[in-house]
Amino acid sequence: GAGVSQSPSNKVTEKGKDVELRCDPISGHTALYWYRQRLGQGLEFLIYFQGNSAPDKSGLPSDRFSAERTGESVSTLTIQRTQQEDSAVYLCASGRDRGEKLFFGSGTQLSVL
Amino acid sequence: QQPVQSPQAVILREGEDAVINCSSSKALYSVHWYRQKHGEAPVFLMILLKGGEQKGHEKISASFNEKKQQSSLYLTASQLSYSGTYFCGTEIDWEYGNKLVFGAGTILRVKS
């Protein structure tokens, strides 16, 4: 595709429910990131996929968070048993390789009631 | 590992200049600069790589001091469109992993 695509754009869920967020990176991009951005805050690193290497999961805040990537394509971020503090915009970004610019998706606005 | 940005916020009048700084305690492979406008995704401005290579917009200038692990973004003759939050991101120079981690951001507001 022309850019990084994320779905859904908005998700409202009840506390305790599981949610799945999807990211379609730009074709051919080996690097894929997930970041979390709370209202008025910075970009909090969550997880990094680079080609076929083991992902860097060091930013995942708890074991309720997990992410997968199929080869060099789609990635899903799953949050189990959502809490109100999970409310944020979740941004996905992809890049051609190390040291290359990142292209960001428009994000998924997650609201946990 | 998160880089430190300064200042936290700056207000300018159109035409004035500004400098945003970014520093890290680790040896760096690259420094990235992005701008985010309210309600939008961050947009790429520039990359500065270890060894001196730079990639980015012609109208944006930045520096990277590899010895001090510091980078600065120079905004000259500011325009209203420059308003937004500027983030620096750093990739640590490590063979086994180099995730891009961002600083807390610098809010820039340009007034007419």
Side-chain angles (χ1 to χ4, degrees), chain A residues 1-77:
Chain A
V4 178
S5 178
Q6 290 189 244
S7 60
S9 55
N10 282 282
K11 176 71 176 178
V12 180
T13 190
E14 294 179 351
K15 178 181 172 181
K17 299 283 189 183
D18 298 351
V19 295
E20 188 172 280
L21 312 181
R22 177 186 170 105
C23 173
D24 280 279
I26 295 172
S27 178
H29 281 196
T30 61
L32 187 146
Y33 289 84
W34 284 97
Y35 294 95
R36 178 170 69 180
Q37 188 171 34
R38 292 195 168 106
L39 187 62
Q41 302 298 309
L43 303 168
E44 178 188 2
F45 167 79
L46 296 178
I47 189 167
Y48 166 48
F49 296 90
Q50 176 60 58
N52 294 319
S53 302
D56 183 335
K57 304 180 181 180
S58 60
L60 295 178
S62 75
D63 59 7
R64 296 187 295 105
F65 288 72
S66 63
E68 293 183 349
R69 186 180 187 192
T70 308
E72 293 185 355
S73 60
V74 172
S75 176
T76 56
L77 176 69

Side-chain angles (χ1 to χ4, degrees), chain A residues 33 35 37 39-48 50 54 56 58-59 89 91 96-107, chain B residues 1-2 29-30 32 34 36 38-44 47 49 55 87 91-95 97-105:
Chain A
Y33 289 84
Y35 294 95
Q37 188 171 34
L39 187 62
Q41 302 298 309
L43 303 168
E44 178 188 2
F45 167 79
L46 296 178
I47 189 167
Y48 166 48
Q50 176 60 58
D56 183 335
S58 60
V89 175
L91 289 163
R96 286 191 305 178
D97 203 346
R98 177 188 192 190
E100 297 284 341
K101 66 181 178 181
L102 294 186
F103 294 81
F104 282 82
S106 298
Chain B
Q1 291 183 347
Q2 183 181 29
Y29 175 77
S30 72
H32 295 224
Y34 292 79
Q36 185 180 35
H38 183 69
E40 300 180 6
V43 173
F44 168 77
I47 289 178
L49 298 167
K55 308 175 192 177
F87 292 101
E91 290 179 289
I92 291 171
D93 189 14
W94 185 43
E95 179 182 359
N98 45 271
K99 59 182 180 280
L100 184 62
V101 180
F102 287 94

Side-chain angles (χ1 to χ4, degrees), chain B residues 2 5 7 16 26 35 47 54 56-57 67 101 103 107:
Chain B
Q2 183 181 29
Q5 285 186 238
E16 291 183 338
K26 304 282 187 181
R35 178 172 60 212
I47 289 178
Q54 296 187 5
H57 292 281
K67 287 186 178 180
V101 180
I107 299 171

